[in-house]
Amino acid sequence: MLADLVGPTGTVVGLERDPRPVALARAFVAEHGFTNVEVIQGDARATELPRGSFDLVHARLVLVNVPEPEQILAAMVALVRPGGVVAVWEWDSVSWLCYPAHPAWTRISEAHQAVRLQDGQDFTIGRRLARLMRGAGLVEVTQDVIVNEWPVGHPRRMQMIQFSENIREKLVARGLFSDAELTELLVALRKHLENPETFQLSGVSFQAWGHKPV
């Protein structure tokens, strides 16, 4: 979408720290013949990209996954030109729930929170996003707030289970569960979520944007 918006005279630059998605993104760019898109590997806190040169700097679900997110937000503001836009999409777990409540959901979600606190990550950063952006020097900060129901069959219905598998090694290594116990809880939770009578609400998506002062 950005490649289409900037046209043949503009440039889109993608930045990613992990070499695996960098390779996937570069393959996608080549496959679709985008001549105005570049994907580079690097740390968002310390890029070698030219400061004050971009019309738009955007990040999606980055700040929620890193300690000291203010550093990345400050780097984003530094990269955008005066009058340009910084746009951020982040998550807040405040509304992420299932009803009826289930002991497996409760135990697993509490374990996720414990891991994130230990890693310096804030799973409720969405509610702070506009304040953080203003604190980084942006003006005219605006945000949209979105909450969805995830019914049976929705691709994100099993996200709690998927996240648990992603961090299974951490959950076990830090003594929050034994491997067998975690497996048992995930089986029980899957059964609960497969029940169409179980209601599941998503977390809150915060989409916020602001301008760098001229």
Side-chain angles (χ1 to χ4, degrees), residues 129-131 133-135 137-143 208-211:
L129 188 56
R131 180 188 289 261
M133 294 176 74
R134 287 191 291 268
L138 297 170
V139 298
E140 300 174 356
V141 176
T142 307
Q143 66 181 5
W209 58 96
H211 292 82

Side-chain angles (χ1 to χ4, degrees), residues 91-97 113 123-127 202-204 206:
W91 169 268
D92 195 307
S93 64
V94 63
S95 60
W96 195 18
L97 58 83
Q113 178 66 9
F123 215 34
T124 61
I125 195 170
R127 69 192 72 176
S202 75
V204 183
F206 285 80

